[in-house]
Amino acid sequence: MAGYISDAVIRRLPAYYRHLRELEDAGVKQISSQDLGDRMQLTPSQIRQDINTFGGFGRQGYGYPVTELKEHIRAIMGLDHEHRMVIIGGGRMGRAIASYAGFAREGFPTVALFDQDTVRIQMSTEALPVYPVAELEERLPGMAAKIVVLALPAEAAQEMLERVYSLGIRAVWNFAPADLVYPRDMTVMNVHLSDSLHILSYRINQQEEDARS
Amino acid sequence: MAGYISDAVIRRLPAYYRHLRELEDAGVKQISSQDLGDRMQLTPSQIRQDINTFGGFGRQGYGYPVTELKEHIRAIMGLDHEHRMVIIGGGRMGRAIASYAGFAREGFPTVALFDQDTVRIQMSTEALPVYPVAELEERLPGMAAKIVVLALPAEAAQEMLERVYSLGIRAVWNFAPADLVYPRDMTVMNVHLSDSLHILSYRINQQEEDARS
């Protein structure tokens, strides 16, 4: 579909999708690179460049057709089909992810949760099947899962990544506070919540020092 | 304490802290820039440069003292004192954050949750006090909270950010899928979980196209 897209543009894709969805909801049919740039805090020329790499949209002077562009980006991101997720780790984080319904609504349903201690967890996850990690090799291949969510302690994450790789998983959404090493044909997206909180804390600290000086 | 630190280094601070904590737990006393670089996938010279900006640690040939450096970075990030958080939004995301005990353990206790509908939410948050959003102006100033966690729908987040700003809040941890606009003396860290999932989805899509071609 689209050719080579740079990493910087890939990171902006979700924001394009979000803004175009909001515009569509607001009934906007067309948007100029100027107006879209204002919303997204990008220059109009950056907007035009980005959208060109998606596949040549819009005509000079008419702006971009909101719904078409949104659907196009949706397809580029593969959001036009479902990606089943399996969560490994039934601690507070894993259960929080499992209980958050928003992902399923967006096409990322969680189909199962694996943990050492299935009894403790079964109670709090309602409809979601919970299996012992020992049964991963037996069960995971039949689940048609594309994404494994790692919600494990840092020290267990690397070994589990290798284990699911050998079961054919090529996409990991990692919530463990660890920098994982993985093969080139695997994709890992990290959500390091504590890191984000620590940067916030750093900035509060700086504000306070600035205020004192 | 430390002088001007670039944004790129600030973003690496939490990773330094994580790795040094792991090294300390493993009983490592000293670490060379080479070994720390190998762990963190940075060059030794980048490690030396970064650590110099923190305040001149270690002597050539001896490596860095693990515990001292960790404690120093901990202080730079303000993790040596507590930052109280208030969550606004008691939907699934807000409740998930509230129920995750890890943040409190790291010095970020949640002291209250605000939502429109206090009755629905009170049941599921156990010990945490839940107040109606209408009482925000009355209650927030007395809570000594440093961080407001926004766990609201995108369309409600900007207005709420302005509301808490006028109540003296200068740090926001934003989980709403929105790009917020905020004054220069405010700090906002975004956790756009859906964006992260969408990038993962994009990469799965590309892997599949590459495999087909």
Side-chain angles (χ1 to χ4, degrees), chain A residues 35-81:
Chain A
D35 290 347
L36 190 54
D38 286 347
R39 273 186 82 101
M40 295 184 61
Q41 296 170 286
L42 295 169
T43 66
S45 102
Q46 195 156 26
I47 297 275
R48 285 192 295 269
Q49 235 176 351
D50 284 0
I51 293 179
N52 261 333
T53 68
F54 306 157
F57 251 87
R59 287 163 295 167
Q60 203 68 38
Y62 288 87
Y64 300 105
V66 169
T67 299
E68 272 174 80
L69 184 55
K70 187 210 77 181
E71 286 302 321
H72 186 64
I73 290 172
R74 186 176 147 83
I76 290 178
M77 295 198 298
L79 300 180
D80 49 357
H81 52 274

Side-chain angles (χ1 to χ4, degrees), chain A residues 77 92 99 173 196 201 208, chain B residues 77 92 99 146 173 196 201:
Chain A
M77 295 198 298
R92 281 178 189 274
S99 76
W173 202 19
S196 150
S201 170
E208 286 172 358
Chain B
M77 294 198 298
R92 279 177 192 273
S99 76
K146 276 283 160 67
W173 202 19
S196 151
S201 170

Side-chain angles (χ1 to χ4, degrees), chain B residues 33-66:
Chain B
S33 50
Q34 179 74 56
D35 289 349
L36 189 54
D38 285 349
R39 272 187 82 100
M40 294 184 61
Q41 297 169 285
L42 294 169
T43 67
S45 103
Q46 194 157 28
I47 296 275
R48 286 192 295 270
Q49 235 176 350
D50 283 359
I51 292 178
N52 262 333
T53 68
F54 307 157
F57 253 86
R59 288 162 297 167
Q60 204 66 39
Y62 287 87
Y64 300 105
V66 169

Side-chain angles (χ1 to χ4, degrees), chain B residues 17 20-21 24 65-75:
Chain B
Y17 183 62
L20 289 164
R21 214 157 42 157
E24 187 184 45
V66 169
T67 299
E68 272 173 77
L69 184 54
K70 187 210 78 181
E71 286 302 321
H72 186 64
I73 290 172
R74 185 176 147 81

Side-chain angles (χ1 to χ4, degrees), chain B residues 49-184:
Chain B
Q49 235 176 350
D50 283 359
I51 292 178
N52 262 333
T53 68
F54 307 157
F57 253 86
R59 288 162 297 167
Q60 204 66 39
Y62 287 87
Y64 300 105
V66 169
T67 299
E68 272 173 77
L69 184 54
K70 187 210 78 181
E71 286 302 321
H72 186 64
I73 290 172
R74 185 176 147 81
I76 291 177
M77 294 198 298
L79 301 180
D80 49 359
H81 51 273
E82 200 179 74
H83 298 88
R84 294 156 70 96
M85 304 201 294
V86 161
I87 299 173
I88 304 183
R92 279 177 192 273
M93 183 65 81
R95 296 204 307 270
I97 300 163
S99 76
Y100 180 61
F103 304 133
R105 234 175 13 237
E106 290 185 60
F108 300 88
T110 299
V111 294
L113 190 151
F114 287 86
D115 193 84
Q116 309 280 10
D117 177 1
T118 53
V119 178
R120 177 175 61 95
I121 292 160
Q122 189 64 78
M123 300 181 301
S124 58
T125 52
E126 297 161 31
L128 190 69
V130 179
Y131 302 111
V133 168
E135 294 175 12
L136 195 65
E137 277 69 17
E138 172 196 337
R139 294 188 179 274
L140 185 62
M143 287 178 172
K146 276 283 160 67
I147 297 169
V148 160
V149 182
L150 291 183
L152 295 166
E155 56 277 14
Q158 181 66 41
E159 194 190 320
M160 187 54 77
L161 177 140
E162 289 162 23
R163 197 164 155 192
V164 300
Y165 182 85
S166 75
L167 294 170
I169 293 292
R170 293 295 176 268
V172 164
W173 202 19
N174 174 45
F175 284 75
D179 298 322
L180 303 173
V181 180
Y182 48 91
R184 285 182 69 93

